Amino acid sequence: MSVEIEPNTLQPNKGYKWELLALLWLAFFLNQADRQIFSVVLPLIREDLGLSDAELGLIASALVWTYGLLVPVAGFFGDRFSRKKIIGISLIFWSIATLSTGFCTTLIQFVLLRGIATGGGEAFYAPSANALISQHHKETRSFALSLHQSAVYIGIILSGVIAGYIGETYGWQKAFFVFGAFGVLVGILVFMRLKNDIPAAGLEKPEILKTAAVIFKKPTAILLTAGFACMVFVNVGYLTWMPSFIASKFNLSLAEAGFSSLFYHHGGAVIGVLVGGKLADRLSLKDRKARLLLQGIALLIASPFIFWMAAAETQFITYAALFLFGVFRGAYDSNIFASLYEVVSVQTRSSASGLMLMCAFLAGAFSPYMLGILKPTLGLSLGLSLLSIAYVIGGALIVIAALVFFKRDKIEFQ
């Protein structure tokens, strides 16, 4: 068990940490909205360009593979350079890539712009943003990170409605143009309002391989990463194919399907993430492994609702299952990074976040492609239902981490 001293946080005023959180919330909103646009207008792209289900799944997987490969690099950058600059540059870069996706006409162009460029730009956001929020929010760490996480749900919900409407009314290309242009404007605002920061690594800049070796010598970190990979596998597959599945199964328009498939789940997730963050902050004062236990139990409880969301025969049961799946998924999300930061040093938080995201997204990237291959034979209903198994595995791994390894691996702060 190691002892770490938290660095003093440079706060120009007490309100800055909340202004910081608000700006990063808006950036994260676009991070998720831009990623979801493709899934919402996917049927229009298929009809317009004649791409197969496997090719469309490959485009979605390309973004996640790129994200997974580059996010550890982003994490190490976040421990060594200005996080403000990393966040601002990445936001403007992926927004330009999103805007440019509207000009794509071939599979290769989608893979390059939608997959590699957008995924690469988005990879550099999360490690620096989460580490910066954690640096400025100490007693309110889980709550602040959970508020930040809520941008994921709201971004996905609104992108489903807005992109679906724009796509059906003005063409799928216009959806990419609108969100991309707005992202560039927000990127400029980030540069104007965020204060200059000093990386936590400061004078000590450990080597990449050495840092990775230290992090992954801890079984708790490994099991948290494996559990996160299980969650991402489900999430990427769900986000890619659920709008199309709902539209086909219940004969809905793209706007209706985009709203219904995303609103109920992420509306529940907003509740879960805020309650989970507050509850974890309170329980961890008595027992710090409470963050991990809350995550593991949440995944286990959520698993049957994943099965029902795809297997249900009526819209009411489908939406009820999506909502309850979302509540417990949100409770898990509220402590993704707060739990990890319990077992890694302050100087390597961004790096550890990057490594965790890399492993999870490289594994999760296979989900949309696999579902796209299985769709013509087994059908999406069975494929989506089977995703529930991943939540059972992930929840069990995190509970084992909390009960067996956490006591030895945790960091003591002074």
Side-chain angles (χ1 to χ4, degrees), residues 238 246 252 255-265 315 319 322:
Y238 155 75
I246 290 289
L252 303 177
E256 290 174 322
F259 175 81
S260 299
S261 63
L262 302 174
F263 173 77
Y264 297 103
H265 172 74
Q315 286 179 264
Y319 299 155
L322 280 169

Side-chain angles (χ1 to χ4, degrees), residues 219-228 292 295 332 339-340 343 356 398:
T220 302
I222 294 173
L223 293 174
L224 284 172
T225 300
F228 186 37
L292 285 75
Q295 285 188 292
Y332 165 84
S339 291
L340 181 66
V343 297
M356 185 183 197
I398 295 174

Side-chain angles (χ1 to χ4, degrees), residues 132-161:
L132 196 58
I133 292 170
S134 181
Q135 180 182 344
H136 284 267
H137 290 265
K138 295 180 181 178
E139 294 82 5
T140 56
R141 181 168 296 155
S142 279
F143 182 63
L145 289 171
S146 64
L147 277 176
H148 182 243
Q149 183 68 21
S150 71
V152 173
Y153 318 133
I154 297 175
I156 290 173
I157 291 170
L158 290 183
S159 68
V161 177

Side-chain angles (χ1 to χ4, degrees), residues 7 78-81 83 198-206 346-347:
D79 283 330
R80 289 156 178 77
F81 304 106
R83 290 165 179 165
I198 301 173
L203 299 175
E204 180 185 357
K205 299 181 180 180
V346 173
Q347 289 76 17

Side-chain angles (χ1 to χ4, degrees), residues 11-22 136-137 193:
Q11 291 180 274
N13 56 65
K14 291 183 178 180
Y16 175 69
K17 69 178 184 179
W18 298 109
E19 180 184 2
L20 166 77
L21 182 60
H136 284 267
H137 290 265
R193 295 300 304 168

Side-chain angles (χ1 to χ4, degrees), residues 34 90-104 109-110 112-122 176-177 180 184:
D34 289 355
S90 69
L91 172 54
I92 291 175
F93 183 87
W94 90 62
S95 297
I96 293 174
T98 297
L99 189 153
S100 301
T101 302
F103 296 105
C104 291
Q109 290 173 347
F110 272 107
L112 291 176
L113 284 172
R114 161 67 189 175
I116 296 174
T118 304
E122 290 186 352
F176 290 99
F177 295 158
V184 173

